[in-house]
Short mmCIF file of all heavy atoms in Angstrom, two decimals:
data_model
loop_
_atom_site.label_atom_id
_atom_site.label_comp_id
_atom_site.label_asym_id
_atom_site.label_seq_id
_atom_site.Cartn_x
_atom_site.Cartn_y
_atom_site.Cartn_z
N MET A 214 -163.91 222.40 121.03
CA MET A 214 -163.36 223.72 121.22
C MET A 214 -162.96 223.96 122.65
O MET A 214 -163.60 223.52 123.56
CB MET A 214 -164.31 224.75 120.75
CG MET A 214 -163.78 226.19 120.79
SD MET A 214 -164.68 227.27 119.79
CE MET A 214 -163.42 228.19 119.15
N LEU A 215 -161.79 224.50 122.80
CA LEU A 215 -161.30 224.88 124.17
C LEU A 215 -162.15 225.78 124.91
O LEU A 215 -162.65 226.83 124.28
CB LEU A 215 -159.85 225.48 124.02
CG LEU A 215 -159.12 225.83 125.25
CD1 LEU A 215 -158.70 224.56 125.95
CD2 LEU A 215 -157.95 226.72 124.88
N GLN A 216 -162.51 225.50 126.12
CA GLN A 216 -163.32 226.45 126.87
C GLN A 216 -162.46 227.66 127.26
O GLN A 216 -161.29 227.47 127.56
CB GLN A 216 -163.82 225.70 128.20
CG GLN A 216 -164.79 224.60 127.84
CD GLN A 216 -166.04 225.06 127.15
OE1 GLN A 216 -166.63 226.08 127.50
NE2 GLN A 216 -166.47 224.34 126.18
N PRO A 217 -163.02 228.87 127.37
CA PRO A 217 -162.23 230.01 127.80
C PRO A 217 -161.59 229.74 129.10
O PRO A 217 -162.23 229.23 130.04
CB PRO A 217 -163.28 231.14 127.97
CG PRO A 217 -164.41 230.76 127.01
CD PRO A 217 -164.45 229.24 127.08
N SER A 218 -160.31 229.99 129.18
CA SER A 218 -159.50 229.59 130.42
C SER A 218 -158.24 230.33 130.48
O SER A 218 -157.80 231.00 129.54
CB SER A 218 -159.32 228.04 130.26
OG SER A 218 -158.61 227.75 129.17
N LYS A 219 -157.60 230.05 131.57
CA LYS A 219 -156.18 230.65 131.84
C LYS A 219 -155.32 229.45 131.51
O LYS A 219 -155.53 228.33 132.03
CB LYS A 219 -156.12 231.06 133.20
CG LYS A 219 -157.01 232.22 133.60
CD LYS A 219 -156.87 232.55 134.96
CE LYS A 219 -157.82 233.70 135.27
NZ LYS A 219 -157.76 234.18 136.76
N ILE A 220 -154.29 229.72 130.72
CA ILE A 220 -153.32 228.68 130.30
C ILE A 220 -151.91 229.11 130.63
O ILE A 220 -151.48 230.22 130.42
CB ILE A 220 -153.50 228.35 128.87
CG1 ILE A 220 -154.84 227.86 128.58
CG2 ILE A 220 -152.32 227.35 128.38
CD1 ILE A 220 -155.12 227.57 127.12
N LEU A 221 -151.11 228.17 131.28
CA LEU A 221 -149.76 228.39 131.60
C LEU A 221 -148.94 227.64 130.57
O LEU A 221 -149.06 226.42 130.34
CB LEU A 221 -149.43 227.85 132.99
CG LEU A 221 -147.93 227.77 133.41
CD1 LEU A 221 -147.38 229.26 133.51
CD2 LEU A 221 -147.73 227.09 134.64
N VAL A 222 -148.05 228.34 129.84
CA VAL A 222 -147.09 227.69 128.89
C VAL A 222 -145.70 227.77 129.52
O VAL A 222 -145.17 228.95 129.78
CB VAL A 222 -147.14 228.45 127.57
CG1 VAL A 222 -146.16 227.90 126.52
CG2 VAL A 222 -148.58 228.42 127.01
N VAL A 223 -145.08 226.72 129.64
CA VAL A 223 -143.69 226.69 130.17
C VAL A 223 -142.74 226.59 129.04
O VAL A 223 -142.71 225.66 128.32
CB VAL A 223 -143.46 225.53 131.22
CG1 VAL A 223 -142.05 225.52 131.73
CG2 VAL A 223 -144.46 225.53 132.29
N ARG A 224 -142.02 227.68 128.87
CA ARG A 224 -141.05 227.77 127.77
C ARG A 224 -139.82 228.55 128.16
O ARG A 224 -139.64 229.76 127.92
CB ARG A 224 -141.70 228.49 126.56
CG ARG A 224 -140.98 228.42 125.28
CD ARG A 224 -140.91 227.02 124.82
NE ARG A 224 -140.45 226.98 123.40
CZ ARG A 224 -140.16 225.89 122.76
NH1 ARG A 224 -140.37 224.74 123.28
NH2 ARG A 224 -139.75 225.99 121.55
N PRO A 225 -138.86 227.97 128.90
CA PRO A 225 -137.75 228.67 129.48
C PRO A 225 -136.59 228.87 128.50
O PRO A 225 -135.54 229.35 128.92
CB PRO A 225 -137.32 227.79 130.63
CG PRO A 225 -137.73 226.37 130.25
CD PRO A 225 -138.97 226.53 129.39
N GLY A 226 -136.77 228.61 127.23
CA GLY A 226 -135.64 228.72 126.34
C GLY A 226 -135.34 230.18 125.92
O GLY A 226 -135.87 231.12 126.48
N ALA A 227 -134.48 230.33 124.93
CA ALA A 227 -133.97 231.64 124.57
C ALA A 227 -134.94 232.23 123.45
O ALA A 227 -136.01 231.68 123.16
CB ALA A 227 -132.59 231.53 123.99
N LEU A 228 -134.51 233.30 122.75
CA LEU A 228 -135.27 234.05 121.78
C LEU A 228 -135.88 233.09 120.74
O LEU A 228 -137.05 233.26 120.40
CB LEU A 228 -134.51 235.18 121.22
CG LEU A 228 -135.19 235.97 120.10
CD1 LEU A 228 -136.42 236.60 120.60
CD2 LEU A 228 -134.22 236.99 119.55
N GLY A 229 -135.00 232.21 120.16
CA GLY A 229 -135.45 231.32 119.11
C GLY A 229 -136.67 230.46 119.56
O GLY A 229 -137.62 230.23 118.85
N ASP A 230 -136.55 229.98 120.82
CA ASP A 230 -137.64 229.20 121.30
C ASP A 230 -138.94 229.94 121.48
O ASP A 230 -140.06 229.50 121.27
CB ASP A 230 -137.33 228.58 122.69
CG ASP A 230 -136.12 227.49 122.57
OD1 ASP A 230 -136.13 226.83 121.46
OD2 ASP A 230 -135.31 227.38 123.42
N ALA A 231 -138.78 231.23 121.98
CA ALA A 231 -139.84 232.12 122.11
C ALA A 231 -140.55 232.32 120.73
O ALA A 231 -141.82 232.23 120.61
CB ALA A 231 -139.46 233.44 122.67
N LEU A 232 -139.83 232.56 119.72
CA LEU A 232 -140.41 232.78 118.45
C LEU A 232 -141.12 231.53 117.88
O LEU A 232 -142.15 231.67 117.26
CB LEU A 232 -139.26 233.21 117.39
CG LEU A 232 -138.64 234.60 117.63
CD1 LEU A 232 -137.46 234.86 116.69
CD2 LEU A 232 -139.70 235.66 117.47
N LEU A 233 -140.58 230.37 118.12
CA LEU A 233 -141.18 229.14 117.69
C LEU A 233 -142.47 228.86 118.48
O LEU A 233 -143.32 228.04 118.00
CB LEU A 233 -140.25 227.97 117.87
CG LEU A 233 -139.04 227.98 116.92
CD1 LEU A 233 -138.07 226.84 117.23
CD2 LEU A 233 -139.55 227.86 115.46
N THR A 234 -142.64 229.51 119.63
CA THR A 234 -143.85 229.34 120.37
C THR A 234 -145.04 230.12 119.99
O THR A 234 -146.20 229.94 120.30
CB THR A 234 -143.56 229.60 121.89
OG1 THR A 234 -142.42 228.77 122.31
CG2 THR A 234 -144.66 229.31 122.85
N LEU A 235 -144.78 231.22 119.25
CA LEU A 235 -145.79 232.14 118.76
C LEU A 235 -147.04 231.45 118.03
O LEU A 235 -148.17 231.76 118.40
CB LEU A 235 -145.25 233.26 117.89
CG LEU A 235 -144.26 234.13 118.59
CD1 LEU A 235 -143.67 235.17 117.64
CD2 LEU A 235 -144.84 234.82 119.79
N PRO A 236 -146.81 230.51 117.14
CA PRO A 236 -147.94 229.86 116.55
C PRO A 236 -148.82 229.15 117.64
O PRO A 236 -150.07 229.09 117.51
CB PRO A 236 -147.33 228.90 115.52
CG PRO A 236 -145.96 229.47 115.24
CD PRO A 236 -145.52 230.05 116.53
N VAL A 237 -148.22 228.59 118.64
CA VAL A 237 -148.98 227.83 119.67
C VAL A 237 -149.83 228.83 120.37
O VAL A 237 -150.96 228.66 120.72
CB VAL A 237 -148.03 227.16 120.64
CG1 VAL A 237 -148.79 226.58 121.81
CG2 VAL A 237 -147.27 226.07 119.82
N LEU A 238 -149.24 230.03 120.77
CA LEU A 238 -150.05 231.00 121.49
C LEU A 238 -151.21 231.58 120.73
O LEU A 238 -152.24 231.71 121.21
CB LEU A 238 -149.04 232.19 121.92
CG LEU A 238 -147.89 231.78 122.82
CD1 LEU A 238 -147.05 233.04 123.09
CD2 LEU A 238 -148.44 231.21 124.16
N ARG A 239 -150.97 231.80 119.41
CA ARG A 239 -152.04 232.22 118.52
C ARG A 239 -153.17 231.20 118.42
O ARG A 239 -154.35 231.53 118.46
CB ARG A 239 -151.45 232.59 117.16
CG ARG A 239 -150.70 233.81 117.14
CD ARG A 239 -150.29 234.27 115.79
NE ARG A 239 -149.51 235.49 115.86
CZ ARG A 239 -148.25 235.55 115.60
NH1 ARG A 239 -147.53 234.46 115.26
NH2 ARG A 239 -147.48 236.71 115.72
N ALA A 240 -152.74 229.92 118.33
CA ALA A 240 -153.80 228.87 118.26
C ALA A 240 -154.54 228.74 119.55
O ALA A 240 -155.81 228.57 119.50
CB ALA A 240 -153.05 227.54 118.00
N LEU A 241 -153.89 228.87 120.76
CA LEU A 241 -154.65 228.87 121.97
C LEU A 241 -155.62 230.08 122.01
O LEU A 241 -156.78 229.86 122.60
CB LEU A 241 -153.62 228.94 123.09
CG LEU A 241 -152.80 227.67 123.36
CD1 LEU A 241 -151.71 227.95 124.30
CD2 LEU A 241 -153.66 226.58 123.85
N ARG A 242 -155.20 231.20 121.55
CA ARG A 242 -156.18 232.36 121.55
C ARG A 242 -157.32 232.09 120.63
O ARG A 242 -158.47 232.35 121.06
CB ARG A 242 -155.41 233.61 121.03
CG ARG A 242 -154.70 234.39 122.02
CD ARG A 242 -155.72 235.13 122.79
NE ARG A 242 -154.90 236.10 123.62
CZ ARG A 242 -155.10 236.32 124.91
NH1 ARG A 242 -156.14 235.85 125.50
NH2 ARG A 242 -154.33 237.13 125.56
N LYS A 243 -157.06 231.52 119.51
CA LYS A 243 -158.14 231.27 118.63
C LYS A 243 -159.16 230.24 119.19
O LYS A 243 -160.34 230.23 118.84
CB LYS A 243 -157.68 230.70 117.24
CG LYS A 243 -157.09 231.84 116.42
CD LYS A 243 -156.68 231.23 115.00
CE LYS A 243 -156.07 232.36 114.18
NZ LYS A 243 -155.62 231.83 112.87
N ARG A 244 -158.64 229.36 120.03
CA ARG A 244 -159.45 228.27 120.65
C ARG A 244 -160.16 228.80 121.90
O ARG A 244 -160.85 228.02 122.51
CB ARG A 244 -158.63 227.10 121.00
CG ARG A 244 -158.09 226.45 119.79
CD ARG A 244 -159.07 225.79 118.93
NE ARG A 244 -158.64 224.43 118.50
CZ ARG A 244 -159.43 223.49 118.14
NH1 ARG A 244 -160.73 223.71 118.24
NH2 ARG A 244 -159.01 222.32 117.83
N GLY A 245 -159.97 230.09 122.26
CA GLY A 245 -160.76 230.60 123.32
C GLY A 245 -159.98 230.86 124.66
O GLY A 245 -160.59 231.26 125.67
N ALA A 246 -158.70 230.78 124.71
CA ALA A 246 -157.93 230.96 125.86
C ALA A 246 -158.06 232.57 126.21
O ALA A 246 -157.83 233.36 125.38
CB ALA A 246 -156.45 230.70 125.67
N THR A 247 -158.57 232.75 127.41
CA THR A 247 -158.71 234.16 127.89
C THR A 247 -157.45 234.82 128.49
O THR A 247 -157.40 235.99 128.53
CB THR A 247 -159.95 234.24 128.92
OG1 THR A 247 -159.53 233.42 130.06
CG2 THR A 247 -161.21 233.75 128.32
N SER A 248 -156.61 233.95 128.98
CA SER A 248 -155.40 234.49 129.54
C SER A 248 -154.26 233.47 129.35
O SER A 248 -154.37 232.32 129.52
CB SER A 248 -155.64 234.60 131.13
OG SER A 248 -154.45 235.00 131.77
N LEU A 249 -153.12 234.07 128.78
CA LEU A 249 -151.95 233.24 128.52
C LEU A 249 -150.82 233.74 129.36
O LEU A 249 -150.46 234.94 129.31
CB LEU A 249 -151.55 233.34 127.04
CG LEU A 249 -152.57 232.70 126.10
CD1 LEU A 249 -152.20 233.04 124.68
CD2 LEU A 249 -152.66 231.18 126.25
N LEU A 250 -150.19 232.87 130.14
CA LEU A 250 -149.03 233.14 130.98
C LEU A 250 -147.92 232.26 130.52
O LEU A 250 -148.03 231.05 130.57
CB LEU A 250 -149.29 232.96 132.44
CG LEU A 250 -148.11 233.20 133.36
CD1 LEU A 250 -147.56 234.59 133.31
CD2 LEU A 250 -148.47 232.79 134.85
N VAL A 251 -146.84 232.88 130.04
CA VAL A 251 -145.70 232.13 129.61
C VAL A 251 -144.60 232.15 130.73
O VAL A 251 -144.27 233.20 131.28
CB VAL A 251 -145.04 232.65 128.33
CG1 VAL A 251 -143.79 231.87 127.99
CG2 VAL A 251 -146.03 232.62 127.23
N LEU A 252 -144.24 231.02 131.15
CA LEU A 252 -143.13 230.93 132.19
C LEU A 252 -141.79 230.66 131.47
O LEU A 252 -141.70 229.69 130.86
CB LEU A 252 -143.47 229.68 133.11
CG LEU A 252 -142.62 229.56 134.33
CD1 LEU A 252 -142.67 230.81 135.19
CD2 LEU A 252 -143.08 228.37 135.16
N GLY A 253 -141.03 231.74 131.44
CA GLY A 253 -139.81 231.68 130.56
C GLY A 253 -138.78 232.69 131.02
O GLY A 253 -138.82 233.15 132.09
N GLN A 254 -137.94 233.05 130.02
CA GLN A 254 -136.90 234.05 130.31
C GLN A 254 -137.44 235.36 129.82
O GLN A 254 -137.69 235.60 128.64
CB GLN A 254 -135.62 233.71 129.47
CG GLN A 254 -135.01 232.44 129.83
CD GLN A 254 -134.39 232.39 131.27
OE1 GLN A 254 -134.04 233.42 131.77
NE2 GLN A 254 -134.39 231.19 131.84
N PRO A 255 -137.78 236.30 130.64
CA PRO A 255 -138.32 237.63 130.28
C PRO A 255 -137.59 238.30 129.16
O PRO A 255 -138.14 238.90 128.30
CB PRO A 255 -138.39 238.44 131.53
CG PRO A 255 -138.40 237.40 132.67
CD PRO A 255 -137.60 236.28 132.14
N SER A 256 -136.24 238.22 129.14
CA SER A 256 -135.43 238.93 128.11
C SER A 256 -135.70 238.28 126.80
O SER A 256 -135.61 238.96 125.74
CB SER A 256 -134.01 238.81 128.54
OG SER A 256 -133.49 237.46 128.55
N SER A 257 -136.06 236.99 126.71
CA SER A 257 -136.37 236.34 125.48
C SER A 257 -137.75 236.71 124.89
O SER A 257 -138.00 236.49 123.70
CB SER A 257 -136.30 234.84 125.64
OG SER A 257 -135.00 234.42 125.94
N TRP A 258 -138.54 237.31 125.78
CA TRP A 258 -139.94 237.65 125.34
C TRP A 258 -140.06 239.25 125.26
O TRP A 258 -141.20 239.73 125.24
CB TRP A 258 -140.94 237.08 126.34
CG TRP A 258 -141.00 235.62 126.11
CD1 TRP A 258 -140.22 234.71 126.74
CD2 TRP A 258 -141.84 234.88 125.28
NE1 TRP A 258 -140.61 233.44 126.28
CE2 TRP A 258 -141.59 233.53 125.45
CE3 TRP A 258 -142.88 235.32 124.36
CZ2 TRP A 258 -142.28 232.53 124.65
CZ3 TRP A 258 -143.60 234.36 123.63
CH2 TRP A 258 -143.25 233.02 123.80
N ALA A 259 -139.06 240.01 125.29
CA ALA A 259 -139.11 241.44 125.28
C ALA A 259 -139.86 241.99 124.08
O ALA A 259 -140.53 243.05 124.11
CB ALA A 259 -137.68 242.08 125.30
N PHE A 260 -139.81 241.22 122.90
CA PHE A 260 -140.55 241.63 121.77
C PHE A 260 -142.01 241.55 121.85
O PHE A 260 -142.78 242.08 121.02
CB PHE A 260 -140.08 240.81 120.54
CG PHE A 260 -140.55 239.38 120.65
CD1 PHE A 260 -141.73 238.94 120.11
CD2 PHE A 260 -139.74 238.37 121.27
CE1 PHE A 260 -142.14 237.61 120.31
CE2 PHE A 260 -140.14 237.11 121.49
CZ PHE A 260 -141.31 236.69 120.91
N ARG A 261 -142.59 240.93 122.87
CA ARG A 261 -143.99 240.73 122.97
C ARG A 261 -144.87 241.95 123.03
O ARG A 261 -146.09 241.87 122.75
CB ARG A 261 -144.38 239.74 124.10
CG ARG A 261 -144.31 240.49 125.51
CD ARG A 261 -144.43 239.50 126.58
NE ARG A 261 -144.53 240.19 127.88
CZ ARG A 261 -143.46 240.65 128.50
NH1 ARG A 261 -142.30 240.55 127.99
NH2 ARG A 261 -143.61 241.19 129.70
N ARG A 262 -144.31 243.13 123.31
CA ARG A 262 -145.08 244.33 123.43
C ARG A 262 -145.72 244.70 122.08
O ARG A 262 -146.75 245.26 122.02
CB ARG A 262 -144.20 245.49 123.89
CG ARG A 262 -143.82 245.44 125.27
CD ARG A 262 -142.92 246.59 125.68
NE ARG A 262 -141.81 246.16 126.52
CZ ARG A 262 -140.61 245.94 126.14
NH1 ARG A 262 -140.20 246.24 124.94
NH2 ARG A 262 -139.75 245.50 127.02
N ASN A 263 -145.18 244.14 121.00
CA ASN A 263 -145.69 244.43 119.72
C ASN A 263 -146.71 243.39 119.16
O ASN A 263 -147.15 243.46 118.06
CB ASN A 263 -144.51 244.48 118.65
CG ASN A 263 -143.59 245.61 119.01
OD1 ASN A 263 -144.01 246.64 119.51
ND2 ASN A 263 -142.29 245.30 118.86
N LEU A 264 -147.04 242.37 120.00
CA LEU A 264 -147.87 241.32 119.62
C LEU A 264 -149.35 241.59 120.12
O LEU A 264 -149.56 242.11 121.14
CB LEU A 264 -147.40 239.98 120.15
CG LEU A 264 -146.05 239.57 119.79
CD1 LEU A 264 -145.69 238.27 120.48
CD2 LEU A 264 -146.02 239.30 118.24
N PRO A 265 -150.30 241.15 119.25
CA PRO A 265 -151.67 241.42 119.65
C PRO A 265 -152.17 240.36 120.76
O PRO A 265 -153.22 240.55 121.41
CB PRO A 265 -152.50 241.07 118.39
CG PRO A 265 -151.60 240.22 117.57
CD PRO A 265 -150.21 240.63 117.95
N GLU A 266 -151.44 239.31 121.06
CA GLU A 266 -151.81 238.31 121.95
C GLU A 266 -151.85 238.79 123.50
O GLU A 266 -152.49 238.14 124.24
CB GLU A 266 -150.85 237.10 121.94
CG GLU A 266 -151.07 236.20 120.72
CD GLU A 266 -150.22 236.68 119.54
OE1 GLU A 266 -150.02 237.86 119.34
OE2 GLU A 266 -149.71 235.76 118.90
N LYS A 267 -151.28 239.83 123.79
CA LYS A 267 -151.19 240.33 125.18
C LYS A 267 -150.75 239.22 126.13
O LYS A 267 -151.42 238.96 127.07
CB LYS A 267 -152.57 240.82 125.64
CG LYS A 267 -153.14 241.94 124.71
CD LYS A 267 -152.53 243.33 125.06
CE LYS A 267 -153.33 244.35 124.38
NZ LYS A 267 -152.88 244.86 123.14
N VAL A 268 -149.66 238.62 125.76
CA VAL A 268 -149.06 237.49 126.53
C VAL A 268 -148.34 238.08 127.75
O VAL A 268 -147.58 239.02 127.73
CB VAL A 268 -148.07 236.72 125.62
CG1 VAL A 268 -147.39 235.66 126.49
CG2 VAL A 268 -148.76 236.13 124.49
N GLN A 269 -148.67 237.43 128.91
CA GLN A 269 -147.94 237.81 130.12
C GLN A 269 -146.78 236.85 130.28
O GLN A 269 -146.85 235.64 129.91
CB GLN A 269 -148.83 237.66 131.37
CG GLN A 269 -149.91 238.66 131.50
CD GLN A 269 -150.79 238.41 132.72
OE1 GLN A 269 -151.07 237.38 133.08
NE2 GLN A 269 -150.99 239.52 133.44
N VAL A 270 -145.59 237.39 130.75
CA VAL A 270 -144.43 236.49 130.96
C VAL A 270 -143.99 236.58 132.38
O VAL A 270 -143.83 237.70 132.91
CB VAL A 270 -143.28 236.92 129.99
CG1 VAL A 270 -142.03 236.09 130.20
CG2 VAL A 270 -143.75 236.78 128.53
N ALA A 271 -143.76 235.40 132.98
CA ALA A 271 -143.27 235.30 134.32
C ALA A 271 -141.82 234.69 134.21
O ALA A 271 -141.48 233.86 133.35
CB ALA A 271 -144.13 234.49 135.21
N ASP A 272 -140.94 235.09 135.14
CA ASP A 272 -139.61 234.64 135.11
C ASP A 272 -139.52 233.15 135.64
O ASP A 272 -139.86 232.87 136.77
CB ASP A 272 -138.69 235.54 135.97
CG ASP A 272 -137.24 235.24 135.95
OD1 ASP A 272 -136.85 234.23 135.30
OD2 ASP A 272 -136.48 236.05 136.46
N PHE A 273 -139.04 232.29 134.73
CA PHE A 273 -138.91 230.87 135.11
C PHE A 273 -137.99 230.66 136.30
O PHE A 273 -138.18 229.72 137.11
CB PHE A 273 -138.33 230.05 133.95
CG PHE A 273 -138.28 228.65 134.11
CD1 PHE A 273 -139.35 227.81 134.10
CD2 PHE A 273 -137.00 228.01 134.30
CE1 PHE A 273 -139.28 226.44 134.23
CE2 PHE A 273 -136.97 226.66 134.43
CZ PHE A 273 -138.09 225.92 134.44
N GLY A 274 -137.04 231.52 136.56
CA GLY A 274 -136.12 231.38 137.62
C GLY A 274 -136.55 232.05 138.94
O GLY A 274 -135.86 231.99 140.01
N ALA A 275 -137.77 232.65 138.96
CA ALA A 275 -138.28 233.27 140.13
C ALA A 275 -138.58 232.25 141.26
O ALA A 275 -139.08 231.16 140.94
CB ALA A 275 -139.43 234.15 139.86
N PRO A 276 -138.42 232.59 142.51
CA PRO A 276 -138.71 231.66 143.62
C PRO A 276 -140.15 231.10 143.67
O PRO A 276 -140.27 229.93 144.06
CB PRO A 276 -138.34 232.49 144.88
CG PRO A 276 -137.59 233.67 144.47
CD PRO A 276 -137.89 233.87 143.07
N GLU A 277 -141.12 231.91 143.21
CA GLU A 277 -142.45 231.45 143.38
C GLU A 277 -142.80 230.22 142.40
O GLU A 277 -143.77 229.55 142.61
CB GLU A 277 -143.46 232.58 143.16
CG GLU A 277 -143.42 233.16 141.78
CD GLU A 277 -142.54 234.42 141.80
OE1 GLU A 277 -141.63 234.63 142.61
OE2 GLU A 277 -142.78 235.23 140.88
N TRP A 278 -141.94 229.95 141.50
CA TRP A 278 -142.07 228.81 140.50
C TRP A 278 -141.23 227.67 140.86
O TRP A 278 -141.30 226.64 140.18
CB TRP A 278 -141.78 229.34 139.07
CG TRP A 278 -142.71 230.42 138.66
CD1 TRP A 278 -142.49 231.77 138.60
CD2 TRP A 278 -144.12 230.31 138.31
NE1 TRP A 278 -143.60 232.44 138.21
CE2 TRP A 278 -144.62 231.54 138.05
CE3 TRP A 278 -144.96 229.21 138.28
CZ2 TRP A 278 -145.94 231.73 137.59
CZ3 TRP A 278 -146.34 229.42 137.92
CH2 TRP A 278 -146.74 230.63 137.63
N MET A 279 -140.45 227.67 141.93
CA MET A 279 -139.59 226.53 142.22
C MET A 279 -140.35 225.35 142.59
O MET A 279 -139.87 224.18 142.45
CB MET A 279 -138.69 226.93 143.47
CG MET A 279 -137.65 227.99 143.09
SD MET A 279 -136.60 227.44 141.77
CE MET A 279 -135.81 229.04 141.41
N GLY A 280 -141.60 225.41 142.99
CA GLY A 280 -142.46 224.28 143.24
C GLY A 280 -142.71 223.35 142.07
O GLY A 280 -143.07 222.19 142.23
N LEU A 281 -142.49 223.91 140.87
CA LEU A 281 -142.69 223.07 139.72
C LEU A 281 -141.72 221.92 139.59
O LEU A 281 -142.02 220.87 138.98
CB LEU A 281 -142.60 223.91 138.45
CG LEU A 281 -143.64 225.01 138.14
CD1 LEU A 281 -143.28 225.71 136.90
CD2 LEU A 281 -144.97 224.19 137.83
N ALA A 282 -140.57 222.11 140.27
CA ALA A 282 -139.54 221.02 140.16
C ALA A 282 -139.60 220.08 141.39
O ALA A 282 -138.79 219.13 141.47
CB ALA A 282 -138.17 221.73 140.16
N SER A 283 -140.59 220.28 142.35
CA SER A 283 -140.64 219.46 143.49
C SER A 283 -142.07 219.03 143.81
O SER A 283 -142.87 219.93 144.01
CB SER A 283 -140.01 220.22 144.68
OG SER A 283 -140.28 219.45 145.91
N PRO A 284 -142.26 217.70 143.83
CA PRO A 284 -143.65 217.29 144.14
C PRO A 284 -144.07 217.56 145.61
O PRO A 284 -145.24 217.60 145.94
CB PRO A 284 -143.60 215.84 143.91
CG PRO A 284 -142.17 215.40 143.96
CD PRO A 284 -141.35 216.66 143.55
N ALA A 285 -143.08 217.94 146.43
CA ALA A 285 -143.39 218.15 147.83
C ALA A 285 -143.86 219.61 148.15
O ALA A 285 -144.31 219.97 149.14
CB ALA A 285 -142.13 217.90 148.71
N VAL A 286 -143.69 220.51 147.10
CA VAL A 286 -144.05 221.97 147.26
C VAL A 286 -145.31 222.18 146.53
O VAL A 286 -145.41 221.97 145.29
CB VAL A 286 -142.94 222.86 146.71
CG1 VAL A 286 -143.34 224.29 146.81
CG2 VAL A 286 -141.63 222.65 147.37
N PRO A 287 -146.37 222.55 147.25
CA PRO A 287 -147.65 222.80 146.62
C PRO A 287 -147.64 224.13 145.80
O PRO A 287 -147.03 225.09 146.31
CB PRO A 287 -148.68 222.95 147.71
CG PRO A 287 -147.83 223.28 148.94
CD PRO A 287 -146.49 222.71 148.67
N LEU A 288 -148.22 224.17 144.66
CA LEU A 288 -148.26 225.40 143.88
C LEU A 288 -149.51 226.21 144.17
O LEU A 288 -150.63 225.65 144.41
CB LEU A 288 -148.23 225.06 142.38
CG LEU A 288 -146.95 224.39 141.94
CD1 LEU A 288 -147.05 224.03 140.46
CD2 LEU A 288 -145.78 225.29 142.12
#
């Protein structure tokens, strides 16, 4: 069983991709994830307010995440 933890899910796709990710988020919650952060397009996740998962969404295009694309930038 997954130990309670914080998990980052990178899903920069559109609304359809967000919807297809929902079963994964639910499974992570059932396995004990205490915090879920999705790195994606905030507009694609606008529907999340109605979900019990309390998923946080960060903007994939925001400057603070640019380090994901470069091994020279520490996160």
